């Protein structure tokens, strides 16, 4: 395989309070910074280098994701727009067990798109470990993802289920 | 007959009564005493039962006892009371904290003040000591360097005490916070440099979004932590973050700005819509590396003066000492100024500099450039003469520096009397008119307008406007036309805010021509109004029609 081309991308992790965003990142990244940054600045940047992949045109690329874990706000308008700029995509994180954490997503997504029109999205439906397999929310989240036209992943930061996959999925759509 | 039993009983009663009476007589004192004792006893019992009364009873005894014990066995008393005092104080503090604080405040406040003052004194002493040790020679060196570099001595001294160095350099994409390149002066490369790049951008974004006033976005320039600073040089699409320590000099700021401009020129097209593809930025780290190396070399060069400079400085110090001693013991009688100037072959070149000066200075310059003189002495160029004001003094020296290329220019221009210059300029001005006309031509109007600020500078002086004419026509006609010309100028001055009572008008007609009237050119020069600033009040008010 040829020497991969390094491509760095900024990715934002968005969602309400307590949906497990920071835990998802902690599961995923190599370098873990003190979470103090989150409470002081409202953002914490981490990085993750994904394995090299071959693009349809034959080029081999390796993505280095700079993940901006942005503190959840009550309203989508409360987010500082500066944190969104220059992003290639966003992970929309929700709590599977708490449906009210889903409601902010469409507006948040729109606000993000206004700043980054070409942005790619994935939906990370977290805390799967807390729901029984036949829970109604599992069907409802699939419908919700279809409604906002975003691919979704059922994840668990606790068990690590699907955590790598949704980041890879996001990178593949760049 | 009497009953014997009854009589016995009667006699017995009698004897008892007698005995009782006897007892009463004999024991009355004792009984009273017993009653008193009983009363006392009861009182004591009551006092024992009643805590308050018992305390009042024991108080004097306890106090006396304690006092006595403290005097005779102080050590033992201390041992006995010690364990009880700690908890007692703690309890008291817990229950009546405010009272305790109030009571102790004057004592503790004073003690703290004293301790802090002592600590500060020690700190100051230690800092002074260190500075003395570090600066005795370095201070002198810094001051000389400051003089040569033209920076403030304080800045130079600080640079000596806090040596400046660049530790790391980041070049970061402004919008995404993606690290474009990074170099470090230390051998070890930071594993989290990309994250640092992102966090720096986040901090910048935060400051911009949260702190900037609406409509006036402001960029963060410096972040300080411990002994380090992160200096941010903001560009259009990217910014440079430099981790530094010590006191940066002007050279640093200039070089960083130059680097930013250079990188912008080269990479702006790529960074405008940056895709994150790092292939086209492969040369960037080596560019930063080169900058860092060159900067460090420049700094080192300026830090370590060559041998000749050290010898020269030593010589200067010795010379200064000799001169100082000479002046101390043989003070000069009258002040004498002896300037020895070595005029070199550069004289011609210097003349051409003087000739070119006016082309590089504004037309409104009030300084007479003809009075300037340039003298070369070794590597130093002296600029002498009179400048109209401080601003022009600096401007002229700057242009001389540019044109001559001398490393050191000594600006010895003195300021001419500013008021005198203004007066001279006004008095030299002529407003010319066309034949038989008192209408002010547009160009002449401009001249008058340019004089307005000068009139305002000498607001306590009056101005005389003297109208003149050519020699053609009658005296009366010429007198009238010269009067009208001067009046026209007066009117324009008033319209431009000059007080009416400051202006006098004088008509000379053809009587006192400024030049002879032999040619048309000369006659045209006589068709004018002349300004005269009146020196004092005795000049004012003397109209000569």
């Amino acid at each position: 395989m040829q020497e991969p081309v390094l491509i760095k991308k900024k990715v934002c992790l968005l969602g309400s309070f307590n949906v497990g965003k920071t835990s998802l990142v902690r599961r995923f990244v190599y370098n873990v910074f003190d979470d103090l940054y989150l409470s002081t600045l409202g953002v914490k940047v981490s990085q993750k280098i994904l394995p090299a992949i071959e693009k349809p045109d034959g080029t081999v690329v390796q993505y280095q994701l700079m993940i901006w874990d942005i503190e959840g706000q009550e309203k989508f308008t409360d987010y500082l727009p500066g944190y969104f700029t220059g992003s290639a995509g966003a992970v929309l994180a929700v709590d599977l067990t708490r449906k009210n954490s889903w409601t902010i997503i469409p507006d948040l997504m729109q606000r993000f798109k206004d700043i980054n029109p070409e942005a790619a999205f994935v939906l990370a439906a977290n805390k799967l470990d807390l729901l029984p397999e036949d829970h109604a929310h599992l069907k409802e989240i699939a419908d919700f993802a279809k409604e906002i036209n975003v691919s979704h992943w059922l994840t668990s930061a606790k068990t690590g289920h699907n955590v790598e996959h949704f980041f890879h999925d996001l990178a593949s759509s760049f | 007959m009497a009953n014997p039993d009854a009589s016995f009983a009667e006699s017995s009663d009698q004897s008892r009564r007698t005995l009782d009476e006897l007892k009463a007589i004999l024991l009355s004192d004792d009984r009273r005493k017993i009653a008193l004792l009983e009363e006392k006893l009861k009182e004591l019992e009551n006092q024992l039962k009643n805590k308050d009364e018992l305390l009042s009873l024991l108080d004097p005894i306890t106090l006396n006892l304690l006092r006595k014990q403290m005097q005779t066995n102080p050590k033992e008393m201390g041992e006995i009371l010690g364990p009880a005092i700690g908890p007692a104080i703690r309890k008291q503090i817990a229950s009546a904290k405010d009272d305790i604080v109030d009571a102790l405040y004057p004592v503790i406040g004073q003690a703290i003040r004293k301790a802090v003052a002592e600590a500060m004194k020690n700190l100051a002493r230690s800092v002074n000591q260190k500075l003395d040790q570090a600066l005795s020679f370095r201070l002198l060196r810094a001051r000389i360097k400051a003089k040569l570099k033209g920076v403030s001595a304080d800045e130079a001294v600080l640079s000596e005490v806090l040596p400046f160095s660049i530790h790391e350099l980041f070049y970061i994409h402004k919008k995404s916070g993606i690290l474009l390149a990074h170099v470090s002066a230390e051998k070890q490369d930071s594993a989290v440099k990309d994250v640092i790049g992102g966090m720096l951008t986040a901090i910048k974004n935060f400051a911009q979004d949260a702190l900037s006033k609406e409509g006036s976005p402001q960029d963060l320039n410096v972040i300080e932590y411990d002994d380090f600073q992160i200096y941010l040089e903001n560009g259009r699409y990217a910014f440079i973050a430099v981790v530094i320590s010590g006191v940066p000099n002007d050279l640093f700021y200039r070089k960083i700005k130059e680097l930013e401009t250079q990188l912008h020129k080269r990479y702006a097209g790529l960074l405008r819509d940056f895709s994150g593809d790092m292939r086209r930025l492969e040369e960037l780290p080596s560019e930063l590396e080169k900058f860092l190396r060159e900067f460090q070399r420049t700094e080192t060069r300026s830090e370590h003066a060559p041998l000749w400079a050290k010898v020269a400085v030593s010589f200067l110090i010795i010379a200064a000492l000799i001169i100082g001693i000479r002046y101390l013991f043989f003070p000069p009688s009258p002040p004498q100024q002896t300037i020895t100037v070595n005029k070199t072959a550069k004289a011609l070149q210097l003349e051409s500099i003087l000739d070119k000066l006016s082309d590089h200075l504004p037309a409104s310059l009030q300084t007479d450039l003809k009075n300037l003189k340039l003298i070369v002495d070794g590597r130093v160029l002296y600029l002498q003469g009179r400048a109209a004001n401080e601003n022009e003094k600096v401007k002229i020296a700057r242009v001389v520096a540019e044109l001559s290329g001398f490393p050191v220019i000594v600006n010895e221009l003195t300021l001419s009397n500013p008021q005198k210059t203004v007066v001279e300029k006004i008095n030299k001005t002529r407003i010319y008119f066309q034949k038989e006309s008192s209408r002010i031509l547009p160009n002449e109007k401009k001249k008058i307008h340019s004089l307005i600020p000068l009139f305002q500078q000498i607001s306590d002086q009056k101005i005389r406007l003297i109208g003149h004419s050519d020699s053609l026509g009658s005296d009366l006609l010429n007198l009238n036309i010269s009067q009208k010309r001067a009046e026209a100028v007066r009117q324009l001055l008033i319209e431009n805010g000059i007080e009416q009572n400051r202006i006098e008008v004088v008509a000379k007609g053809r009587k006192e021509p400024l030049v002879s009237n032999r040619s048309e050119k000369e006659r045209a020069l006589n068709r004018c109004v002349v300004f005269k600033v009146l020196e004092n009040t005795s000049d004012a008010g003397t109209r000569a029609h």
Side-chain angles (χ1 to χ4, degrees):
Chain A
M1 199 152 108
Q2 67 195 77
E3 183 74 18
V5 174
L6 180 65
I7 294 178
K8 295 184 183 181
K9 294 282 186 190
K10 173 179 172 179
V11 169
C12 287
L13 190 51
L14 309 173
S16 297
F17 286 109
N18 210 19
V19 295
K21 293 191 299 294
T22 306
S23 307
L24 283 173
V25 177
R26 209 179 283 127
R27 265 273 171 191
F28 182 64
V29 300
Y30 295 126
N31 297 302
V32 178
F33 264 61
D34 198 318
D35 289 346
L36 185 68
Y37 292 108
L38 256 181
S39 51
T40 48
L41 266 185
V43 66
K44 190 182 81 170
V45 182
S46 315
Q47 68 166 326
K48 168 86 177 182
I49 300 173
L50 301 182
I53 50 167
E54 192 172 347
K55 293 287 243 185
D57 63 357
T59 46
V60 180
V61 297
Q62 184 161 38
Y63 284 110
Q64 178 177 329
L65 300 187
M66 300 310 301
I67 303 158
W68 287 48
D69 176 8
I70 298 171
E71 190 182 30
Q73 303 292 334
E74 279 181 33
K75 290 178 282 176
F76 69 94
T77 46
D78 290 342
Y79 284 87
L80 290 180
Y83 290 165
F84 290 180
T85 55
S87 300
V91 175
L92 307 165
V94 294
D95 180 346
L96 263 177
T97 66
R98 236 172 0 107
K99 276 187 82 175
N100 61 358
S101 70
W102 309 3
T103 51
I104 194 177
I105 295 297
D107 286 332
L108 194 53
M109 206 176 143
Q110 189 53 50
R111 189 170 167 81
F112 195 83
K113 260 189 195 167
D114 291 343
I115 297 167
N116 305 290
E118 306 290 319
F121 294 92
V122 285
L123 182 70
N126 198 29
K127 302 195 183 177
L128 180 68
D129 52 290
L130 296 180
L131 285 188
E133 271 179 32
D134 56 348
H135 197 281
H137 283 185
L138 299 179
K139 165 84 176 65
E140 283 165 16
I141 196 74
D143 295 341
F144 177 70
K146 204 176 277 176
E147 205 177 294
I148 59 172
N149 196 22
V150 169
S151 66
H152 81 288
W153 292 84
L154 303 175
T155 63
S156 166
K158 194 175 174 186
T159 63
H161 183 77
N162 272 343
V163 174
E164 294 267 339
H165 293 122
F166 72 80
F167 276 112
H168 290 192
D169 180 22
L170 184 67
S172 67
S173 55
F174 291 149
Chain B
M1 185 176 157
N3 188 347
D5 289 340
S7 65
F8 176 76
E10 195 176 318
S11 87
S12 165
D13 280 351
Q14 183 62 36
S15 334
R16 199 178 299 124
R17 267 195 303 273
T18 313
L19 186 65
D20 284 347
E21 280 168 14
L22 194 63
K23 271 183 186 174
I25 293 162
L26 290 174
L27 298 174
S28 66
D29 266 3
D30 291 338
R31 277 185 177 156
R32 204 170 50 249
K33 280 178 188 168
I34 287 168
L36 271 172
L37 281 172
E38 276 177 345
E39 203 178 320
K40 279 268 178 194
L41 190 65
K42 219 175 243 174
E43 200 179 321
L44 274 172
E45 270 176 357
N46 282 340
Q47 279 180 328
L48 283 174
K49 279 178 194 161
N50 186 329
K51 264 187 191 171
D52 290 341
E53 287 197 23
L54 180 65
L55 281 174
S56 67
L57 198 68
L58 289 173
D59 260 358
I61 305 163
T62 326
L63 281 174
N64 282 334
L65 188 70
L66 280 172
R67 198 171 289 132
K68 197 179 166 194
Q69 284 297 325
M70 288 299 279
Q71 280 167 356
T72 51
N73 300 313
K75 201 177 164 192
E76 234 171 275
M77 283 300 288
E79 279 170 9
I80 294 166
L81 292 174
I85 287 172
I89 291 174
R90 273 196 293 278
K91 195 174 173 194
Q92 184 63 15
I93 288 172
S95 62
K97 195 159 59 184
D98 291 344
D99 291 346
I100 299 272
V101 169
D102 287 347
L104 289 178
Y105 176 75
V107 187
I108 289 183
Q110 208 172 4
I112 289 172
R113 268 198 300 275
K114 204 173 160 191
V116 169
E118 194 59 31
M120 289 303 286
K121 217 188 297 172
N122 286 340
L123 178 68
R125 202 177 298 131
S126 127
V127 168
N128 282 342
Q129 256 173 14
K130 282 190 179 158
L131 281 175
D132 283 347
Q133 284 162 7
L135 295 180
S136 48
F137 180 70
R138 292 173 74 186
L139 182 78
L140 178 67
R141 195 178 66 164
R143 285 194 183 281
I144 294 168
K145 268 170 66 181
K147 207 70 182 159
L148 289 172
K149 283 183 180 175
V151 298
S152 86
D154 292 345
E155 191 185 314
V157 170
L158 267 178
S159 314
E160 286 291 321
V161 184
L162 308 167
F164 170 70
S165 48
I166 298 180
H167 298 271
E168 290 188 64
L169 231 146
F170 297 80
Y171 191 47
I172 301 162
H173 188 237
K174 208 170 175 180
K175 268 169 108 179
S176 64
I178 286 172
L179 182 68
L180 304 168
H182 166 261
V183 289
S184 170
E186 280 81 44
K187 292 258 177 332
Q188 241 178 348
D189 196 18
S190 172
V192 288
K193 54 186 190 286
D194 282 280
V195 177
I196 294 170
M199 286 306 292
L200 282 174
T201 314
I203 293 167
K204 257 170 72 68
N205 290 345
F206 177 79
Q208 230 162 19
D209 285 349
L211 306 176
S212 286
K213 285 177 190 163
E214 208 174 324
S216 60
Q218 284 161 0
D219 263 330
L220 192 67
N221 292 112
V222 179
I223 301 166
E224 292 191 5
Y225 68 99
D226 290 340
D227 295 336
F228 297 92
Q229 272 188 18
I230 303 175
Y231 176 76
L232 307 171
E233 183 61 57
N234 294 295
R236 178 86 178 83
Y237 302 114
F239 65 95
I240 299 172
V242 201
V243 182
I244 55 175
S245 62
V247 180
N249 53 18
D250 284 347
L251 179 75
F252 164 74
Y253 294 115
R254 212 172 52 236
K255 288 278 173 193
I256 284 291
K257 183 72 221 164
E258 278 171 19
L259 176 68
E260 194 284 313
T261 313
Q262 175 198 321
L263 295 178
H264 175 82
K265 275 183 195 160
R266 181 143 185 214
Y267 296 104
L270 180 67
L271 298 179
R272 194 177 299 122
D273 300 305
F274 184 51
S275 65
D277 188 339
M278 301 302 286
R279 268 176 303 189
R280 288 172 64 191
L281 297 170
E282 275 165 359
E283 285 173 23
L284 199 46
S286 56
E287 280 181 67
L288 296 188
E289 193 90 48
K290 191 174 151 211
F291 167 84
L292 196 60
R293 265 201 319 271
E294 278 176 9
F295 185 82
Q296 280 166 340
R297 218 170 25 230
T298 320
E299 276 286 290
T300 319
R301 250 204 323 265
S302 63
E303 277 299 309
H304 300 291
L307 187 64
W308 67 263
K310 286 179 182 169
V311 172
V313 168
S314 311
F315 176 75
L316 279 174
I317 293 168
I318 294 165
L321 280 172
I322 293 168
I323 293 166
I325 292 164
R326 184 186 169 278
Y327 268 67
L328 192 66
F329 292 104
F330 309 102
S333 36
Q336 286 179 336
Q337 200 183 6
T338 314
I339 302 170
T340 313
V341 176
N342 298 326
K343 287 198 175 177
T344 68
K346 290 194 173 175
L348 274 174
Q349 190 195 332
L350 295 182
E351 271 174 35
S352 72
I353 292 172
L354 286 175
D355 291 342
K356 283 181 201 161
L357 263 183
S358 60
D359 301 338
H360 293 79
L361 287 160
S364 59
L365 198 80
Q366 290 175 34
T367 303
D368 183 4
L369 296 175
K370 283 176 195 155
N371 82 82
L372 300 186
K373 209 164 34 170
L374 295 174
I375 298 164
V376 178
D377 188 4
R379 290 160 62 86
V380 181
L381 180 65
Y382 290 84
L383 170 60
Q384 294 178 343
R386 283 195 318 276
N389 52 48
E390 191 60 47
N391 186 24
E392 290 192 359
K393 181 182 168 181
V394 176
K395 266 188 194 164
I396 293 166
R398 202 173 291 152
V399 175
V400 168
E402 273 171 27
L403 295 176
S404 70
F406 265 73
V408 182
I409 308 276
V410 178
N411 190 348
E412 290 188 339
L413 290 179
T414 54
L415 294 186
S416 42
N417 182 351
Q419 202 147 348
K420 196 177 161 199
T421 318
V422 168
V423 170
E424 276 172 8
K425 180 140 190 176
I426 294 173
N427 285 349
K428 273 185 192 168
T429 309
R430 307 271 183 276
I431 306 298
Y432 295 104
F433 292 83
Q434 283 180 321
K435 235 184 245 179
E436 295 170 16
S437 167
S438 60
R439 190 176 70 86
I440 306 173
L441 299 166
N443 274 347
E444 304 304 293
K445 268 189 186 171
K446 277 185 196 165
K447 273 196 217 170
I448 296 172
H449 284 140
S450 73
L451 290 181
I452 301 296
L454 303 184
F455 289 138
Q456 282 157 351
Q457 282 181 44
I458 48 160
S459 57
D460 56 339
Q461 283 177 278
K462 290 194 171 188
I463 308 131
R464 182 174 293 161
L465 305 175
I466 308 162
H468 292 270
S469 70
D470 57 22
S471 56
L472 304 174
S474 68
D475 281 351
L476 187 64
L477 188 75
N478 282 309
L479 193 64
N480 276 342
I481 195 78
S482 65
Q483 173 84 26
K484 278 184 185 169
R485 283 169 183 161
E487 291 284 359
V489 175
R490 177 176 181 265
Q491 190 54 39
L492 192 58
L493 290 179
I494 292 168
E495 282 168 17
N496 281 282
I498 306 299
E499 298 88 341
Q500 205 167 332
N501 58 3
R502 279 183 65 201
I503 312 166
E504 284 184 15
V505 168
V506 173
K508 294 281 185 186
R510 63 181 190 176
K511 280 188 179 164
E512 291 176 29
L514 300 171
V515 290
S516 71
N517 280 301
R518 281 173 301 197
S519 65
E520 176 48 35
K521 198 176 173 186
E522 285 176 342
R523 282 194 287 275
L525 290 174
N526 280 327
R527 292 192 287 267
C528 71
V529 168
V530 174
F531 293 84
K532 185 171 187 327
V533 176
L534 302 180
E535 292 295 324
N536 51 50
T537 46
S538 64
D539 278 355
T542 53
R543 285 180 174 225
H545 288 281

